């Protein structure tokens, strides 16, 4: 699928509807929300190290004036962009992200066994000097001058859920991950895969009672009572290099000695270096080696975090207000939806290459648009069948 076709999945009339619905442009004279969105999105493609001053230059550029259909005489200062980010209701960008997620998900073909649709949950942190930002929580230890912000994501093939935390209580993964999983729409065909950060026994029971199938990792030999010892297959298959040594149905105890309401599947395995790993799940109709293998696919969310930090400038804040941080967060998630969908539909090996090809194609389409605007034919072959070099 080509870039223009993907961009049409964010139609102008839908932008206008969401702006009106959320009253995002109430009493706004400069930089309406739809134009701010286009500026944020386009600037991420144009430069790797984006900033407010860079966005000012892009906004005032000849190319963006044609791409965004803004009045060519309209100019803007970076301080106006900063103010608009801090005040434009982030709920507009959140609704736009949700809308885009539905539209882009529909473009991807079903993949693999539908019983094993995985939804991975994890959090990532960004750190800043406490002199630069008022919100956030301190990292502790010798890093008292540093503040952190946490972003919790649910990721399948696309980022399906995202939340932003700046309060100290969310430093705990037990606090951040449980509401993320419970608040994310999850089909009964999905399996949630989450790292060992989620240790709360009460959280396990809540997920179980909500009908959410999950796989997580726990510390080996947790305090528990064994209900049933499942026999391992005689061949004792290895799960991605892990040697399975136990498969039990157990009740767990929390720190206060209270037993879990529900019984769980406890699986233990040994790595080639003799390190012991333990998995916990409420899935009883899969083989132990299948559960261990599905957990290994959790790593895809780490690849996603690496991509958005290295290629989408995720760790750099364009705004230091809560509203501005949320707004930019949702735009970056929409950008990742665009790139990952483009990557999968065009069978491009890496997200990094997909971003580069997307940007090049978008630039080529913009050049064609400008040529047509002034009466030219970009598809017309040059004289003598060859191009005249620019220099």
């Amino acid at each position: 699928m080509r870039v223009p076709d993907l961009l049409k999945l964010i139609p102008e009339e839908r932008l206008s509807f969401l702006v009106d619905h959320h009253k995002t442009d109430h009493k706004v004279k400069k930089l309406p929300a739809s134009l701010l969105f286009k500026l944020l999105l386009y600037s991420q493609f144009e430069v790797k190290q984006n900033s407010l001053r860079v966005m000012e230059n892009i906004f005032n550029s000849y190319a963006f004036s044609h791409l965004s259909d803004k009045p060519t005489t309209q100019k803007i200062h970076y301080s106006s962009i900063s103010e608009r980010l801090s005040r434009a209701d982030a709920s507009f960008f959140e609704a736009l992200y949700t809308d885009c997620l539905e539209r882009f998900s529909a473009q991807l073909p079903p993949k693999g066994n539908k019983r094993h649709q995985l939804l991975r949950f994890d959090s990532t942190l960004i750190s800043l000097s406490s002199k630069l930002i008022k919100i956030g929580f301190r990292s502790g230890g010798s890093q008292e001058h540093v503040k952190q912000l946490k972003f919790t994501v649910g990721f399948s093939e696309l980022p399906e859920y995202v939340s932003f935390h700046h309060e100290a209580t969310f430093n705990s993964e037990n606090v951040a991950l449980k509401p993320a999983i419970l608040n994310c729409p999850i089909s009964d065909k999905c399996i949630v895969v989450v790292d060992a950060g989620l240790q709360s026994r009460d959280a396990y029971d809540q997920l179980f009672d909500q009908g959410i199938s999950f796989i997580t990792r726990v510390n080996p030999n947790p305090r528990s009572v064994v209900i049933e010892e499942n026999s391992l297959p005689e061949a004792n298959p290895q799960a991605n290099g892990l040697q399975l040594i136990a498969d039990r149905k157990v009740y767990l105890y929390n720190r206060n000695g209270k037993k879990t309401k529900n019984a769980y599947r406890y699986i233990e395995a040994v790595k080639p270096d003799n390190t012991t790993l333990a998995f916990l799940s409420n899935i009883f109709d899969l083989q132990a080696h299948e559960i261990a293998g599905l957990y290994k696919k959790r790593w895809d969310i780490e690849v996603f975090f690496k991509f958005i930090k290295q290629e989408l400038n995720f760790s750099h804040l364009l705004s230091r207000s809560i509203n501005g941080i949320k707004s930019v967060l949702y735009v970056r998630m929409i950008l990742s939806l665009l790139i990952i969908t483009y990557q999968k539909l065009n069978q491009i090996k890496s997200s990094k290459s997909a971003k580069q090809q997307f940007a090049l194609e978008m630039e080529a389409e913009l050049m064609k648009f400008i040529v047509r605007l002034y009466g030219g034919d970009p598809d017309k072959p040059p004289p003598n069948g060859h191009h005249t070099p620019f220099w």
Side-chain angles (χ1 to χ4, degrees):
M1 182 178 278
R2 295 173 59 249
V3 167
D5 299 320
L6 278 174
L7 293 176
K8 286 176 183 176
L9 295 175
I10 315 176
E12 197 68 42
E13 57 271 19
R14 188 59 182 171
L15 283 173
S16 299
F17 170 81
L18 292 174
V19 167
D20 292 341
H21 180 74
H22 292 276
K23 297 181 172 59
T24 320
D25 287 345
H26 183 60
K27 295 183 179 180
V28 171
K29 295 181 180 179
K30 274 190 173 184
L31 201 56
S34 59
L35 192 56
L36 176 61
F37 164 68
K38 293 176 183 178
L39 176 62
L40 286 165
L41 200 65
Y42 182 69
S43 60
Q44 291 292 153
F45 280 114
E46 280 296 284
V47 292
K48 187 172 182 179
Q49 299 298 325
N50 197 15
S51 70
L52 294 175
R53 291 181 184 273
V54 168
M55 289 172 66
E56 174 191 336
N57 292 333
I58 288 175
F59 184 91
N60 297 327
S61 69
Y62 181 79
F64 185 73
S65 67
H66 287 82
L67 180 72
S68 59
D69 195 30
K70 74 179 182 68
T72 54
T73 57
Q74 185 181 355
K75 301 291 183 181
I76 205 161
H77 191 262
Y78 74 89
S79 60
S80 298
I81 301 174
S82 177
E83 181 181 4
R84 192 74 177 101
L85 277 174
S86 65
R87 295 188 179 184
D89 190 351
S91 62
F92 159 73
F93 295 98
E94 181 181 8
L96 182 57
Y97 159 67
T98 303
D99 193 79
C100 287
L101 175 61
E102 182 178 350
R103 292 169 185 265
F104 284 94
S105 296
Q107 301 302 310
L108 299 180
K111 182 180 179 182
N113 189 332
K114 292 185 178 181
R115 175 67 180 89
H116 297 165
Q117 293 178 1
L118 301 185
L119 186 54
R120 308 151 184 86
F121 281 86
D122 205 351
S123 300
T124 188
L125 296 167
I126 65 171
S127 301
L128 302 99
S129 168
S130 56
K131 295 179 180 179
L132 297 177
I133 193 166
K134 294 180 180 179
I135 63 172
F137 47 88
R138 299 191 184 278
S139 59
S142 60
Q143 301 293 317
E144 283 299 311
H145 64 288
V146 172
K147 282 191 173 182
Q148 293 183 322
L149 303 174
K150 176 175 278 191
F151 301 86
T152 302
V153 174
F155 182 82
S156 56
E157 290 185 282
L158 299 170
E160 296 197 16
Y161 177 88
V162 61
S163 57
F164 159 60
H165 311 293
H166 58 90
E167 305 94 337
T169 183
F170 284 96
N171 192 23
S172 165
E173 281 288 71
N174 274 321
V175 177
L177 288 170
K178 185 179 75 171
I181 298 171
L182 292 174
N183 291 333
C184 179
I186 298 174
S187 76
D188 56 3
K189 295 178 180 178
C190 266
I191 297 175
V192 167
V193 182
V194 62
D195 201 1
L198 186 66
Q199 292 283 339
S200 168
R201 282 26 178 174
D202 289 340
Y204 299 155
D205 276 340
Q206 281 185 270
L207 298 183
F208 197 115
D209 292 343
Q210 290 288 331
I212 298 173
S213 300
F214 70 89
I215 302 170
T216 187
R217 192 162 60 86
V218 293
N219 294 324
N221 300 313
R223 189 182 174 196
S224 62
V225 55
V226 178
I227 304 170
E228 184 179 340
E229 190 83 41
N230 300 320
S231 59
L232 294 168
E234 290 185 9
N236 199 1
Q238 290 195 353
N240 298 288
L242 300 178
Q243 187 68 33
L244 300 172
I245 58 175
D247 181 6
R248 302 173 185 136
K249 187 176 183 179
V250 301
Y251 285 107
L252 299 176
Y253 289 97
N254 65 17
R255 292 178 180 177
N256 299 322
K258 181 181 177 182
K259 189 171 68 174
T260 54
K261 175 183 174 182
N262 303 293
Y264 296 93
R265 183 95 170 268
Y266 174 81
I267 297 167
E268 204 168 280
V270 177
K271 294 170 65 177
D273 62 0
N274 290 323
T275 303
T276 301
L277 295 178
F279 308 98
L280 192 81
S281 179
N282 60 347
I283 302 170
F284 295 93
D285 60 348
L286 293 178
Q287 296 293 322
H289 71 274
E290 291 180 292
I291 289 178
L294 290 173
Y295 178 83
K296 188 174 182 181
K297 295 181 180 180
R298 189 203 69 84
W299 188 252
D300 288 349
I301 196 170
E302 302 294 347
V303 175
F304 175 72
F305 285 149
K306 180 180 178 181
F307 167 65
I308 61 175
K309 286 185 174 183
Q310 291 187 353
E311 301 300 326
L312 303 188
N313 209 15
F314 188 81
S315 298
H316 176 68
L317 297 183
L318 293 174
S319 174
R320 293 171 191 168
S321 70
I322 294 174
N323 187 83
I325 291 171
K326 287 182 178 179
S327 298
V328 176
L329 168 64
Y330 290 122
V331 173
R332 282 173 172 157
M333 290 300 105
I334 293 170
L335 179 60
S336 70
L337 291 174
L338 273 166
I339 294 171
I340 295 172
T341 304
Y342 180 80
Q343 174 192 354
K344 291 184 177 298
L345 293 180
N346 293 287
Q347 299 182 340
I348 302 171
K349 187 174 182 180
S350 72
S351 300
K352 180 178 180 180
S353 295
K355 184 201 171 186
Q356 292 171 343
Q357 291 185 42
F358 192 109
L360 289 170
E361 187 178 337
M362 188 165 66
E363 286 298 316
E365 291 297 326
L366 178 58
M367 290 174 65
K368 289 180 181 180
F369 171 77
I370 293 174
V371 169
R372 291 191 188 100
L373 189 66
Y374 289 95
D377 182 2
D379 300 316
K380 182 179 179 180
N384 303 323
H386 62 84
H387 292 277
T388 302
F390 186 71
W391 69 79

